[in-house]
Amino acid sequence: MALPAEYTQLSQEEVLRRLEVARKALGEDCYILVHHYQRDEVTRFADTTGDSLELSRQAAQQERARYIVFCGVDFMAETAAMLCSPRQTVLIPEPSACCPMAGMVTAEQAEVAWQRLSSLWHGDLLPITYQNSDARVKALCGRHGGAVCTSANAQKLFGWALAQRGHLLFFPDEHLGRNSALALGLRPEEIAVWDPQDPDGSEEQAWGARVVVWKGYCHVHTRFGLEDVRRVRQEHPGIRVVVHPECPAEVVQASDGAGSTSYLVRAAAEAPPGSALAIGTEIHLVSRLAARHRDKTIVPLARSLCGAMYRINEYNLLATLESILAGCPQHVVRVEAETAFWANQALQRMLQAG
Ligand code: 13P
Ligand code: SF4
């Protein structure tokens, strides 16, 4: 969304100065949640920086602030809007910051898969959706006894679902789904892929499977390949390689560890001084960790940027804070009541799982 010229014409110095002023003026009335992939000009104004699970928890716990400003992508802000109290307002500085992977499943497509697999397995099935999905897909999961998960707790939620039912349908990240199922000890032949363009073929493939994963992917994390792992190991003998579980299974298996963005932040902090670490995730986080830990060698597995996250910047953050101060908050995130009710059931099951 185009910002008015009164903002775009400002120098960066002026924007940062006005941000300091606006932040101070809003005080405890406003809480700024910032995802790890945001640029430094934004993270410096964060009240909390975190992965999507930590930010969901924070949104649910905020009691004081009337306004929650979410610097991340659409589905994260939507989740915050469903978890906070009704007297609070969630705003996103740039509403076009939309995760392409979340857009790879619609509620209608999800319903087709759910109906077909439910009748195939006579109801012995639970749905789980990655947080990276829209509220209507979360609501489908909530309505059918399922849950939301993030990259930090996917394995735990998969175990939770498979302890109750024989089968699990997971939206929309094929790779996080496969990595989580394999980590739980499932065999590759127990995992099938659901292609929304081919429901007949997908249903046929699902015979014999226990976990069906949606054919969606993150272009930021599928950019990493085995050749990148080989190259960094060759360039830095003895280097430890850690990646986000949205990477393809062969990359996760060739690495030394995989986990959410918070796991990667911890891996950098805990690496011994003088050691070398390659990180397979979004470049803003890797660059920040390299700058924060100069006593270690921290390199990106490859350079990969999330354009959706990059849409949030200090300019639209300033416009958002000043809109609150002017009494007309802009880009308020709203979710239709019935959808929010059912999506919340799925979110609460995730938060209760720990
Ligand atoms: P986290 O759950 O690790 O924050 O990841 C969210 C995401 O969008 C990664 O691409
Ligand atoms: Fe979506 Fe990938 Fe960006 Fe995460 S990194 S917000 S999954 S496009």
Side-chain angles (χ1 to χ4, degrees):
M1 219 165 222
L3 267 184
E6 59 179 290
Y7 285 100
T8 52
Q9 285 167 4
L10 294 174
S11 69
Q12 193 194 42
E13 207 183 3
E14 178 63 0
V15 170
L16 296 176
R17 191 195 62 75
R18 273 169 62 172
L19 265 170
E20 300 280 358
V21 173
R23 185 67 201 91
K24 217 170 180 173
L26 284 163
E28 290 188 342
D29 228 12
C30 166
Y31 200 85
I32 304 182
L33 294 171
V34 178
H35 189 267
H36 284 307
Y37 293 163
Q38 292 290 306
R39 50 180 105 197
D40 288 347
E41 293 79 1
V42 172
T43 53
R44 64 190 270 188
F45 293 98
D47 289 305
T48 295
T49 308
D51 68 10
S52 64
L53 178 61
E54 290 163 342
L55 296 177
S56 299
R57 287 208 182 105
Q58 283 291 329
Q61 283 164 13
Q62 281 322 303
E63 280 168 7
R64 262 216 168 94
R66 247 190 319 155
Y67 298 99
I68 296 175
V69 176
F70 204 109
C71 300
V73 284
D74 54 346
F75 67 81
M76 297 181 180
E78 224 177 43
T79 296
M82 294 189 282
L83 288 174
C84 68
S85 90
R87 59 164 207 94
Q88 292 173 307
T89 302
V90 175
L91 301 102
I92 185 164
E94 175 48 68
S96 71
C98 300
C99 166
M101 175 164 66
M104 291 177 191
V105 56
T106 64
E108 290 72 21
Q109 292 170 326
E111 188 65 39
V112 169
W114 171 257
Q115 292 300 342
R116 282 185 174 234
L117 293 176
S118 288
S119 50
L120 177 68
W121 288 315
H122 309 290
D124 187 21
L125 170 72
L126 266 189
I128 295 213
T129 188
Y130 192 18
Q131 162 104 284
N132 302 33
S133 58
D134 87 21
R136 292 176 63 224
V137 175
K138 293 184 175 81
L140 179 148
C141 293
R143 259 196 304 272
H144 296 294
V148 173
C149 74
T150 73
S151 60
N153 59 18
Q155 211 178 307
K156 188 186 274 180
L157 270 301
F158 273 37
W160 170 86
L162 290 171
Q164 298 175 66
R165 306 273 167 87
H167 306 89
L168 157 59
L169 170 60
F170 180 64
F171 311 105
D173 185 8
E174 172 179 346
H175 303 286
L176 177 65
R178 180 173 293 108
N179 288 323
S180 306
L182 291 173
L184 265 186
L186 273 84
R187 286 173 284 118
E189 57 274 24
E190 292 179 298
I191 305 165
V193 178
W194 187 276
D195 178 353
Q197 305 309 324
D198 180 18
D200 290 339
S202 301
E203 190 177 328
E204 211 173 297
Q205 268 206 21
W207 279 92
R210 288 190 67 205
V211 170
V212 176
V213 295
W214 198 259
K215 194 179 176 179
Y217 64 92
C218 162
H219 64 93
V220 177
H221 291 95
T222 49
R223 188 213 176 295
F224 304 117
L226 277 181
E227 64 287 0
D228 296 309
V229 180
R230 277 192 213 109
R231 182 183 35 77
V232 289
R233 289 204 194 280
Q234 218 160 47
E235 286 171 3
H236 306 270
I239 196 168
R240 185 171 147 76
V241 180
V242 288
V243 300
H244 196 280
E246 289 174 9
C247 293
E250 67 268 20
V251 173
V252 168
Q253 280 156 19
S255 302
D256 300 302
S260 73
T261 50
S262 291
Y263 164 89
L264 301 172
V265 170
R266 276 197 305 279
E270 289 164 8
S275 65
L277 186 69
I279 306 184
T281 196
E282 210 274 343
I283 192 65
H284 285 85
L285 175 57
V286 184
S287 303
R288 184 171 315 118
L289 293 174
R292 189 183 296 165
H293 302 288
R294 292 196 188 278
D295 57 336
K296 309 161 194 181
T297 303
I298 295 184
V299 295
L301 190 54
R303 199 185 147 75
S304 195
L305 180 137
C306 176
M309 289 278 182
Y310 198 64
R311 284 176 178 265
I312 309 285
N313 57 39
E314 61 277 32
Y315 286 78
N316 47 40
L317 177 58
L318 175 65
T320 300
L321 297 194
E322 290 189 343
S323 77
I324 302 174
L325 285 170
C328 46
Q330 66 178 12
H331 307 323
V332 172
V333 181
R334 292 192 180 87
V335 182
E336 181 269 320
E338 195 184 340
T339 302
F341 173 82
W342 287 112
N344 232 315
Q345 306 279 312
L347 284 164
Q348 294 304 334
R349 287 184 195 117
M350 169 180 82
L351 294 176
Q352 281 154 18

